[in-house]
Amino acid sequence: MAETLFLPTSSLSPRAPLSPARTPGTDELRAISRTREETGAGPLRRVKRGWVWNQFFVLEEYTGLEPLYIGKLHSDMDLGDGSIKYILSGDGAGTTFTIDDSTGDIHAIKRLDREVKAQYMLRAQAWNRLTNRPLEPESEFIVKIQDINDNEPKFLDGPYQATIPEMSSIGTEVIRLTATDADDPTYGNSARVVYSILQGQPYFSVEPKSGIVRVSLGGMDREVRENYSVVIQAKDMGGQLGGLAGTTVVNITLSDVNDNPPMFDQSNVPESAPVGSVVGRIRAKDRDIGINAEMTYSIIDGDGRDTFDISTDPTHLFGIITIKKPLNFESKASYTLKIEGANTHLDHRFLDKGPFSHVTIVHVSVEDVDEPPEFDSAVYYMEVPENAEVGMVIKTISARDPDAANNSIRYSIDRTSDLGKYFYIDITSGSLMTVLPLDREEITWHNITILAMEMNNPNMIGSLSVAVKILDVNDNAPMLPEYFETSVCETAKAGQRVQTVAAVDPDDPLGGHHFYYSLAPEAANNPNFTLRDNQDNTAWILTRRGGWSQQDQAVYYLPIFISDGEQPVQTSTSTLTIRVCSCDGEGKVMSCNAEAYHLPASLSRGALIAILACIFVLLVMILLMLSLRSQRKKPFLHDVEDNVHENIVRYDDEGGGEEDTEAFDIAAMWNPREAHLVGKQRQDMLPEIESLSRYVPLACVGGPGRSCGGGDSNVHGYVLSKLLEADLDSCAPPYDSLQTYAYEGEGSVADSLSSLQSSCSNTDHEYDYLNNWGPRFKKLAEMYGVLETKSPPMW
């Protein structure tokens, strides 16, 4: 029975990689045929081979981080149990392409470039992992690299040289250019090139498809211009947006043809020649030699005698014609000069042979020169109010081409003269307008430069200076200078002048400033100060009362209302800070800081002596109480049920504060003698335990009948012994246990809270700093009654 090739249904999807078919054996085919007959499906028929390996397609220049997925190989015998092993060989196998031998997934591990290699021929085969034998014949397939537009057109032979005769007619072919594109010409528009000209108009043009450069302007004269540089661009994607482009240069030279008849020399001068430049030289021939041949030249007639001048060179042989007035081709293109040359040294003996002079006619032709545009005015001056609307046309600028061609003009602003970009000019009409709000207080004058350019010759540019003055508008309110403050003496009387205030206003009205002063409405009934407008743009601040005191209130804030007299009226409210200061007899300020309260100078001497005696008695009583307290002995603790602390902690080095988390070993206190046997203990405890054990007697310290055997009694006795030692020590502090935490740990906002470092006076502590510790200490601040009180009146 002939072998039949079956088509795996899973491999028929478009663009899906196709797996090689497995050829079934004869016994398998017989079994399949028998099964189909039993089930009524009919006998097995020969199936025609219906497919071969297709190509894989993948885009070039993949730049992702993960390997590029190419496709998947699959065998019909693969049941998904991992028994099939796929092997890949051929072009780039293992170096450019890899295959997952279990799943058959093919990936590219290198960036693919179609221009380097367009396709890869690979072979695939399925092997049995257990027997290590092939299950199917080896199959070939192709991985074809699809093109993307990653290469710009290139002119391989550029730059190009071409020569054509002058006066060539329009349409004359100059040169044919060809740009090559490495992209695939059979796929998309990546290699479809379109040509265009970037530089060289209007003299030459290029055909978009063929790349032929042709003459587009007739009558090109070699005697006027001989060389042209033309820039040609080739762009792919059919010239569409997003295509890549390449350029080249074509240098075109005009060859000469006989298009000029012979003529005698005449003087030619360009119209742009400056005054004083030389037009030409003439010489009258004289057969004499030496001083007898010396000549002098002069213009005796002609329409150019006012425009040109002539002088004799130092050799007295040549006449030099120079320009006396500016030339303008458009006004007059040629001049005629009647020039006389005469001998300077005459011999009277031979006068009858004269005259010893000669006259000649000289024609001077003025050559046309492309001149920049000219404005209808040398300087523009304009005024604009600072509240002008954005987009308002200020003035229309006008310029013209002085040449006979009268080319169109395009206008622009030299941005170096308008860095803030406040103005814009219409490119065709020359209308100058604003594009940003103007502020006279920021910039009063704008000096901008307008440029006028010929449309056909961008090199011809004329410039014009425009001065724009910004007119003032009342848009700023008057106000007092910033941080304005003054002072009043404690001895000031009612009606005394405290300060003269003067407002400032950046506006500049034509009639000058006129400010109006008054107290703000909220301070109209101020009992302390009043204001008087002097009607000269100043005002006086006067006191309404006397009897000022720094202890009562040190600072007053006086709001002053100011308005100007221009339309629209602008107003503001400025605050004047007034400090109460102590002054000398002449009214000079001595101190403006609140000082401690002093007793009145009128206090009697007897009262002072009584106060000092009371203070002395109080001091004696305090010293006596401290002395008695230090000599008083504390009673022993006899009741074992009394609360005895199990830890006596002493921090000679101020400890670690809250950062010290290492506990003490209580075993060292139960048996002080064996403290040195404890395996793990704090190093700073050993000297303390040993020192205590030398002074504490181990016998019972209590009264008769006091037990010493129990563990509690040892600790109790130890504590009592320490109390006895403290009572006998007259220098010991009046407490049993000292636990000092002078260091509250790193990052503590409160710093140290140790009572040992607190003030020993009986005066109340100041807790105002609790308000600065943030919301976490708000409750503590409330407990100590240090919440901020209502501030005193401002004025």
Side-chain angles (χ1 to χ4, degrees), residues 749 769-782 787:
V749 181
Y769 55 84
L770 294 176
N771 288 320
N772 300 326
W773 288 2
R776 294 185 178 181
F777 294 90
K778 181 179 180 181
K779 189 64 177 178
L780 185 61
E782 293 177 354
L787 293 179

Side-chain angles (χ1 to χ4, degrees), residues 303-304 308 328-329 331-336 363-366:
D303 57 2
F308 298 93
N328 190 345
F329 173 83
S331 299
K332 190 172 180 62
S334 64
Y335 295 87
T336 300
H363 297 281
V364 179
S365 296
V366 180

Side-chain angles (χ1 to χ4, degrees), residues 412-568:
S412 63
I413 297 178
D414 184 359
R415 285 306 171 191
T416 59
S417 64
D418 184 25
L419 297 177
K421 298 182 179 180
Y422 290 94
F423 301 94
Y424 168 78
I425 189 169
D426 187 84
I427 189 173
T428 56
S429 66
S431 298
L432 183 64
M433 61 191 71
T434 61
V435 293
L436 289 177
L438 303 176
D439 189 355
R440 187 203 67 86
E441 288 71 38
E442 181 180 352
I443 302 177
T444 305
W445 285 89
H446 292 268
N447 297 308
I448 61 177
T449 301
I450 305 297
L451 304 178
M453 178 184 66
E454 289 185 15
M455 184 175 180
N456 294 336
N457 189 358
N459 295 325
M460 291 294 102
I461 301 176
S463 62
L464 170 70
S465 296
V466 178
V468 182
K469 181 180 181 181
I470 309 303
L471 300 180
D472 184 49
V473 174
N474 190 30
D475 58 348
N476 293 277
M479 59 182 59
L480 296 181
E482 191 175 5
Y483 306 120
F484 195 76
E485 65 176 44
T486 185
S487 61
V488 60
C489 293
E490 291 181 315
T491 58
K493 302 287 192 272
Q496 182 174 336
R497 184 174 64 180
V498 176
Q499 180 68 39
T500 300
V501 296
V504 294
D505 190 340
D507 292 322
D508 187 18
L510 296 177
H513 290 296
H514 192 180
F515 300 140
Y516 301 93
Y517 301 87
S518 64
L519 293 181
E522 61 269 20
N525 298 322
N526 187 352
N528 302 311
F529 301 95
T530 185
L531 181 145
R532 187 175 76 182
D533 192 343
N534 299 325
Q535 301 298 320
D536 60 353
N537 293 337
T538 64
W540 286 355
I541 307 300
L542 306 174
T543 59
R544 277 191 170 180
R545 63 177 179 85
W548 305 91
S549 175
Q550 293 184 11
Q551 280 74 24
D552 295 340
Q553 186 170 344
V555 180
Y556 294 86
Y557 300 97
L558 188 65
I560 301 175
F561 181 80
I562 311 171
S563 64
D564 55 22
E566 297 294 322
Q567 293 296 328

